[in-house]
Amino acid sequence: MPIAILALAVGAFGIGTTEFVAMGLLPQMAATFGVSIAGAGWLITAYALGVVVGAPTLTALTHSWPRKRVLMGLMGMFVLGHAATALAPTFHLLVGARFLSGLSHGAFFGASAVVARKLAPPGRQGQALALVFTGLTVANVVGVPLGTYVGQQLGWRLTFALVGIIGLVTIASILALVPEVETRTGSLRSEFAAFRRRQVWWTLAITTVGFASMFTVLSYVSPLLTEVAGFSEGSVSWVLILFGLGATFGNVLGGRLADWRPYRTLAVGFVAQVVVFGAVYLLAESRVAVAVGVFLFAFTGFTMSAPIQTRGITAAGGGASMASAAMQAAFNVGNAMGAFLGGLAIDGGFGYASTALVALVLALLGLAILGEATRVDKNGRAPLDPEVAAIPSQRRRGVRDTVDS
């Protein structure tokens, strides 16, 4: 793979660190401003909403820019957001700073995904996507546990300041390593035309609902570990390393499966998550069970990451940039949804373990939406997946373009 993709992975490392480290530091951030942990969940929701707003908006505004300039500009906004986070004097301003920090997230991953696929050798586009997302998974092995430890020992403000420095390193890496590549395939109108394709919306729905399951538990993993499973506060960062390892192994496997069996990977992944979240709910007071569960729901979730990204870009046709950014928005709508629904369960008096039960239901819904989307593929449209393509040709007579509505 070209070394330029590693520069994109550095940005993914910074983004992954800031997105997930807030979950490990939620109790400390809540204590600083005297709000409840469930109330502090708005910091997670605000970041996710920033991604949702920024992904389509910034992608549209920078559509005609060279991709290298886009990537550097988005990282500049990322750095500004983290300076504001580290210096925020009130909780409401902190929420606003987290929203600002999230604005560049989706557009950066969207542009990175398109550039990575352009630079990748033929037949290895899925692995190129996975390499970009390796930065995200390494963040969960190194960045999140280390950031959590620093935040617990020296203050959460320092953690976010350090993440801002990672953004500066990313800008330098992109400047030095990423070539100017032409990735725009049409007008802005053609990019938005992707949203007239029914399978794009099916894929966004799978992403939003299905991946909300992981975020429902992850948003409140720190109190789940300390208040229910009985881990010490200092042990949280070590358990989060298990999440990072699961994400890393899952991402590597998912990158290979995205070029081979994307549908089956997604279906098996959702079924596995149902089992894992059910076990976490039933065995929430067991340290071993919860620690293994954290590893497994990260592994299954990130195994599905590259396949669902591949599905979204394939469904979009010529609107790959906008669709890729929209996929990041969908991930973060799921993030916000998971944090919100988990907070409702906690505020309702059902306890931190109830987040796993909510996650189980969301994984089942994700599986159901995937099944319906695949049924639509088979009944009158060209399939998005080689497994679906294997159905007898006489059942695919009259097939139109892959995702025409």
Side-chain angles (χ1 to χ4, degrees):
M1 289 290 178
I3 192 172
I5 298 179
L6 293 179
L8 305 178
V10 173
F13 176 83
I15 290 173
T17 299
T18 197
E19 181 175 19
F20 295 114
V21 78
M23 299 166 185
L25 293 175
L26 212 58
Q28 288 74 28
M29 299 171 82
T32 297
F33 298 102
V35 300
S36 68
I37 291 179
W42 278 104
L43 297 172
I44 297 169
T45 301
Y47 183 90
L49 292 176
V51 180
V52 173
V53 172
T57 303
L58 295 178
T59 299
L61 290 175
T62 61
H63 175 72
S64 61
W65 295 13
R67 296 297 91 186
K68 186 171 182 175
R69 185 191 303 175
V70 170
L71 292 167
M72 293 176 64
L74 292 171
M75 266 295 118
M77 182 179 292
F78 179 84
V79 172
L80 180 63
H82 283 80
T85 299
L87 298 173
T90 68
F91 181 73
H92 290 95
L93 288 176
L94 179 61
V95 171
R98 289 297 289 165
F99 177 84
L100 176 61
S101 299
L103 284 174
S104 60
H105 176 132
F108 182 86
F109 270 120
S112 294
V114 175
V115 169
R117 286 175 65 87
K118 183 73 173 182
L119 295 175
R124 299 182 66 187
Q125 286 84 1
Q127 293 179 54
L129 280 175
L131 182 56
V132 173
F133 280 90
T134 295
L136 187 65
T137 59
V138 171
N140 284 290
V141 178
V142 179
V144 174
L146 182 59
T148 301
Y149 179 79
V150 169
Q152 290 172 345
Q153 302 301 316
L154 301 175
W156 58 266
R157 294 182 188 276
L158 178 60
T159 294
F160 289 103
L162 292 173
V163 174
I165 293 174
I166 295 172
L168 292 174
V169 173
T170 301
I171 293 173
S173 299
I174 293 171
L175 181 63
L177 299 176
V178 176
E180 295 286 359
V181 292
E182 176 56 51
T183 58
R184 188 160 58 91
T185 56
S187 66
L188 183 58
R189 178 178 296 180
S190 71
E191 287 284 344
F192 278 104
F195 297 111
R196 294 202 300 265
R197 298 168 178 262
R198 186 175 301 177
Q199 281 297 340
V200 169
W201 289 103
W202 278 115
T203 306
L204 293 175
I206 296 166
T207 304
T208 300
V209 177
F211 284 81
S213 59
M214 181 172 68
F215 292 115
T216 303
V217 177
L218 189 60
S219 296
Y220 303 98
V221 69
S222 185
L224 173 64
L225 293 172
T226 57
E227 301 294 328
V228 182
F231 285 95
S232 67
E233 185 179 89
S235 299
V236 171
S237 58
W238 293 104
V239 177
L240 289 177
I241 291 176
L242 292 176
F243 177 86
L245 290 172
T248 300
F249 293 141
N251 184 64
V252 172
L253 178 61
R256 295 184 178 278
L257 295 177
D259 294 322
W260 181 52
R261 290 288 186 266
Y263 166 74
R264 190 173 301 178
T265 302
L266 292 169
V268 173
F270 281 129
V271 171
Q273 287 207 318
V274 169
V275 175
V276 170
F277 288 129
V280 170
Y281 175 71
L282 294 174
L283 303 172
E285 295 183 359
S286 167
R287 294 183 186 180
V288 173
V290 172
V292 172
V294 167
F295 173 86
L296 289 177
F297 76 68
F299 177 78
T300 55
F302 278 84
T303 297
M304 295 188 286
S305 180
I308 196 68
Q309 287 277 348
T310 298
R311 192 182 203 279
I313 292 174
T314 302
S321 293
M322 186 62 70
S324 184
M327 288 293 293
Q328 290 303 313
F331 275 118
N332 281 272
V333 171
N335 188 336
M337 180 189 298
F340 176 73
L341 294 177
L344 283 182
I346 294 167
D347 283 343
F350 296 102
Y352 294 114
S354 65
T355 57
L357 192 59
V358 176
L360 183 154
V361 174
L362 290 170
L364 281 174
L365 289 174
L367 180 62
I369 297 170
L370 173 65
E372 180 61 18
T374 305
R375 185 190 67 78
V376 172
D377 277 354
K378 291 181 179 180
N379 293 336
R381 287 173 175 79
L384 299 176
D385 187 282
E387 291 175 275
V388 181
I391 61 176
S393 59
Q394 63 267 26
R395 292 175 55 192
R396 292 188 278 111
R397 290 175 182 171
V399 169
R400 295 178 295 175
D401 184 61
T402 301
V403 286
D404 281 351
S405 58

